Amino acid sequence: MSSNQKWDANLYDGKHRFVANYGNDLVELLNPKIGEKILDLDCGTGDLTQKIAEFGADVVGVDASEAMVLKAHQKYPDINFNVMDATALDFETAFDAVFSNAVLHWILEAERVAQAIYRVLKPEGRMVVEFGGKDNCRQINQRIIENIEARGYTYQFPWYFPSIGEYAQLLERVGFEVSYAVHYDRFTKLEGEDGMKNWLAMFSGNFFKTVSAEDQQLIINKTIEQLRDSLYRDQSWYVDYKRIRVVAIKR
Ligand code: BEZ
């Protein structure tokens, strides 16, 4: 996960496990082969790293968060996990594939990440990634921004949510050939009556860097009430995720 955000690895595993659950079919798209060297970039607590290992690949997980790497080590002691920044990947041998699920939107320096991935891949190696695409969480973000601005604060948009066109161009500049790309809706159910509150507590912190703690609480409460009409259905909260999923080859 990104270095700018403080991560609670237990909350992540407890309430946000869907992040890894949804990644299972991305592992199928990766199609790991026995003996392939694969890097799981920003691996979180390691669930998908373990899935990749089950295919017989020689997988390494890296994450910028020490808390996530510690938890990943505890859960999967046979896998090699390291604390490492995605913009500064440093390995002695090259990978057949780089895999990343649900995190690249946290890193605003997207081109530096793509360059780092390119450097650690073998020629003809593949990157298989999924993360938030254009208009991801649009309703939630619109409300937070409205409420922050209404109280006279400024904010920096904390995520990189590109369209397919934008991301494909970036990858081509770096030297990749994009062989597959989709941008799709994934309305996602959150757990429990406090689902939206927990989601905002876990993920929205970077919006509030200039906001007092008291105003942050007021903004979050107001945002939750405003979203109830559109994102609370049949006693469950939902997030209006939109994902971008891309395979690109190092040429
Ligand atoms: C996502 O997985 O798309 C996401 C998660 C947290 C904040 C923003 C986006």
Side-chain angles (χ1 to χ4, degrees):
M1 318 298 294
S2 111
S3 47
N4 286 341
Q5 170 97 9
K6 288 269 171 277
W7 292 102
D8 179 332
N10 291 320
L11 182 62
Y12 183 82
D13 260 7
K15 300 256 186 266
H16 303 285
R17 178 165 291 282
F18 63 81
V19 176
N21 291 345
Y22 274 121
N24 286 334
D25 56 331
L26 190 66
V27 175
E28 278 168 33
L29 185 65
L30 171 69
N31 190 15
K33 313 274 189 332
I34 294 174
E36 271 192 325
K37 250 184 102 48
I38 297 182
L39 176 65
D40 183 4
L41 180 58
D42 286 346
C43 59
T45 62
D47 293 344
L48 294 178
T49 328
Q50 162 66 17
K51 275 266 166 314
I52 294 168
E54 284 167 13
F55 282 77
D58 176 11
V59 64
V60 178
V62 296
D63 202 290
S65 157
E66 267 183 51
M68 291 289 180
V69 167
L70 197 66
K71 182 92 184 175
H73 267 305
Q74 285 165 357
K75 285 164 72 178
Y76 306 112
D78 294 338
I79 296 181
N80 184 2
F81 294 102
N82 295 297
V83 178
M84 201 180 280
D85 192 303
T87 60
L89 299 175
D90 185 17
F91 290 96
E92 301 212 325
T93 54
F95 292 91
D96 295 290
V98 174
F99 171 91
S100 183
N101 179 53
V103 281
L104 292 185
H105 48 254
W106 286 102
I107 310 175
L108 300 180
E109 299 158 290
E111 192 146 344
R112 282 189 65 200
V113 177
Q115 287 163 344
I117 294 173
Y118 192 88
R119 273 197 306 275
V120 300
L121 277 172
K122 294 178 184 171
E124 304 303 313
R126 63 200 186 280
M127 67 178 270
V128 178
V129 300
E130 176 168 318
F131 59 101
K134 186 168 163 42
D135 285 339
N136 192 29
C137 317
R138 188 178 55 82
Q139 297 186 50
I140 300 175
N141 293 334
Q142 259 179 0
R143 291 302 188 180
I144 293 178
I145 290 168
E146 265 170 39
N147 292 325
I148 286 180
E149 288 182 335
R151 281 183 170 70
Y153 292 103
T154 55
Y155 69 94
Q156 232 198 329
F157 193 77
W159 297 298
Y160 172 66
F161 294 151
S163 66
I164 286 181
E166 192 182 338
Y167 197 54
Q169 277 190 13
L170 180 152
L171 292 178
E172 285 172 6
R173 274 199 301 279
V174 169
F176 283 103
E177 181 180 300
V178 176
S179 59
Y180 174 88
V182 285
H183 185 205
Y184 67 98
D185 287 306
R186 197 172 62 211
F187 217 64
T188 299
K189 190 173 179 174
L190 298 173
E191 266 181 45
E193 196 53 37
D194 284 337
M196 184 56 71
K197 188 170 159 213
N198 290 332
W199 190 93
L200 290 169
M202 182 84 183
F203 295 123
S204 72
N206 285 348
F207 263 122
F208 296 104
K209 285 183 174 163
T210 62
V211 178
S212 72
E214 192 186 342
D215 279 348
Q216 177 170 345
Q217 209 42 62
L218 289 172
I219 289 169
I220 286 184
N221 291 344
K222 182 161 185 197
T223 299
I224 292 172
E225 275 329 297
Q226 289 170 326
L227 291 171
R228 195 171 280 280
D229 262 357
S230 53
L231 296 182
Y232 187 75
R233 298 180 188 170
D234 302 326
Q235 295 174 332
S236 292
W237 282 101
Y238 290 81
V239 180
D240 52 339
Y241 283 127
K242 250 180 175 309
R243 324 304 295 174
I244 183 170
R245 179 175 280 203
V246 173
V247 180
I249 313 296
K250 172 172 178 169
R251 297 292 190 210

